[in-house]
Amino acid sequence: LRKRGKIGKKIGMVGVRGVKFPAIRQHINTAIANRYNNLNTDFVSFPADDVEADPKAYLAALDEFQPGDICCIFTPDDTHFDIALAAIQRGMHIMITKPAVKTLEHHRQLVEAARQKNVLVCVEFHKRYDPCYRDAHDRIQNDELGPFGYFNAYMSQPAHQLETFRRWAGISSDISYYLNSHHVDVHCWCLQGKARPVRVTACASSGEGSQRLGRELEDTISLLVQWQNIDVSSKQPTSTGTAVYTSSWTASKGDTHTQQGFFFHGHKGEIRID
C-alpha cells in the first residue's frame, strides 16, 4: 500500500514488549525486504527496543500520528476498547479485529465517540470476504433457501496455539469471543432483516487447556441460540430456527491451522461450507 501511494510514508507498530522488535524487524527483512525489489519495510515501533513491558505504549504511539490517520487494532480482546477510544478521541479512523469489544455498553460508547469525531470505525470480520461465505450469504438473502431452520458452525485452532495466548487465555477472554465471533457475525449477516436471535444458552468442555496453562479455562465453547424468523413484509414473527456455534483451541494438528465451516438448513434448501 505504501509503495502504491495508497497510504503515507509513516507506518508505526505498537506492542507491549519493546524487546521483541529487533527480532520482528529481522523477520520482516528476511520474509519481505529480501524477497521483493524496492519494497520499503521501515516502521517506527513503540515502546523502545530496550523496554521490557509497557501496556500503555499505544498512547505515545497515537500521539505521533495525526487526525485522519488510520489505526489498526489486532490485540487481545479486552484491550480493544481502550485503544480504540483513545484513537477516536485523536480523530483517527479505526479498524478493529473481531470482536470489536466484549460488552454492548462499550460498543455503544465507541459508536457515539465515532459519531462525535466524524471518523470511520469498522470491524475486521474477514470471513465476509471469503468467496464461499459471500455466495452463501447472497443465496440466503435472496431467499433461495427459504426461511431459516438450522445452522451449525465449527471453528478451531490446534492446542499448541494456547502457548501464544498464554498471557490472556481464560483470564481476560475466551475461545468463544476469539473464534465463535466469526460465525455469529456471518449468520447475523446472512439473516439480516429476516430473523433475530431471542435466546442464548452456552456450555463448555475443559481439561486439556487447564493442563497446558496450569489454570482453569474452557477448551471448547458451544452457543445454542434460538432464532425467530420474521415476515419481511409485515415484520411479524413467523417460525423459529436453531443455531449452534462451536469453537475450540484444543484441536489436534490437521491439514490447516484453522478448521472452519458451517451448515445452513432452510425450508427450501441447504448449504454446507468447509
Side-chain angles (χ1 to χ4, degrees), residues 32-89:
I32 300 177
N34 295 343
R35 293 175 178 268
Y36 299 91
N37 292 328
N38 303 317
L39 190 59
N40 180 10
T41 59
D42 291 342
F43 64 90
V44 292
S45 59
F46 306 85
D49 290 0
D50 60 349
V51 175
E52 182 63 33
D54 180 6
K56 298 293 185 179
Y58 66 90
L59 294 173
L62 291 173
D63 288 338
E64 292 293 318
F65 288 80
Q66 302 297 320
D69 287 343
I70 302 168
C71 178
C72 299
I73 303 170
F74 289 79
T75 59
D77 300 340
D78 64 308
T79 65
H80 293 178
F81 175 74
D82 289 338
I83 299 172
L85 185 60
I88 292 170
Q89 290 171 342

Side-chain angles (χ1 to χ4, degrees), residues 168-187:
W168 58 267
I171 298 175
S172 59
S173 194
D174 58 43
I175 189 58
S176 188
Y177 278 111
Y178 183 67
L179 287 186
N180 263 339
S181 51
H182 277 296
H183 284 118
V184 170
D185 172 71
V186 166
H187 195 207

